[in-house]
């Protein structure tokens, strides 16, 4: 089992920046891919970004490429999502998630409780 806990959400104006963090605990993450997914109001949950725990290979949704950066700190078992140039359409609950397998695309096996990010116009 992998336990995940997010922090760092909040309210920010459009054009601003925010970083959300995820603390992972439990079994080793060596064979896992870590991801951030989000669910906006009235929308389905969607993939945002993913990173392989060992190689650090990243992937992003087209909607956030060039604005968001996913990273991980192996020593601290932390995963981060740096969000720059935020837009109102980025408003969502952001979930940290983990999975095994070769790609960062869903489905994911383990989920955090989510953290709210609200971008005001």
């Amino acid at each position: 089992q992998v336990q995940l806990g997010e922090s760092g959400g909040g309210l920010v104006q459009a054009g601003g920046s925010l970083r959300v963090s995820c603390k992972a605990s439990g079994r080793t993450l060596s064979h896992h891919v870590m991801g951030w997914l989000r669910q906006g109001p009235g929308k389905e949950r969607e993939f945002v970004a993913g990173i392989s725990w060992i190689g650090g290979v990243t992937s992003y949704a087209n909607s956030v490429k060039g604005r968001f950066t996913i990273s991980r700190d192996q020593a601290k078992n932390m995963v981060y999502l740096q969000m720059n140039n935020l837009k109102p359409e980025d408003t969502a609950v952001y979930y940290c998630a983990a999975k095994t397998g070769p790609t960062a695309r869903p489905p994911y096996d383990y989920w955090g409780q989510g953290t709210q990010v609200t971008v005001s116009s």
Side-chain angles (χ1 to χ4, degrees), residues 57-75:
V57 177
T58 59
S59 61
Y60 296 92
N62 288 335
S63 59
V64 306
K65 276 182 182 177
R67 300 188 299 123
F68 290 13
T69 302
I70 188 171
S71 62
R72 87 270 191 254
D73 185 327
Q74 294 173 300

Side-chain angles (χ1 to χ4, degrees), residues 91-109:
T91 294
V93 177
Y94 283 72
Y95 296 92
C96 178
K99 61 175 289 191
T100 55
T103 75
R105 297 291 168 171
Y108 278 73
D109 302 310

Side-chain angles (χ1 to χ4, degrees), residues 68-86:
F68 290 13
T69 302
I70 188 171
S71 62
R72 87 270 191 254
D73 185 327
Q74 294 173 300
K76 296 180 179 179
N77 269 15
M78 296 290 294
V79 182
Y80 306 99
L81 185 68
Q82 176 66 43
M83 303 179 286
N84 298 327
N85 190 22
L86 281 159

Side-chain angles (χ1 to χ4, degrees), residues 1-22:
Q1 290 283 344
V2 176
Q3 290 82 43
L4 303 168
E6 303 95 334
S7 61
L11 174 65
V12 63
Q13 287 188 330
S17 297
L18 200 63
R19 188 178 80 161
V20 289
S21 304
C22 174

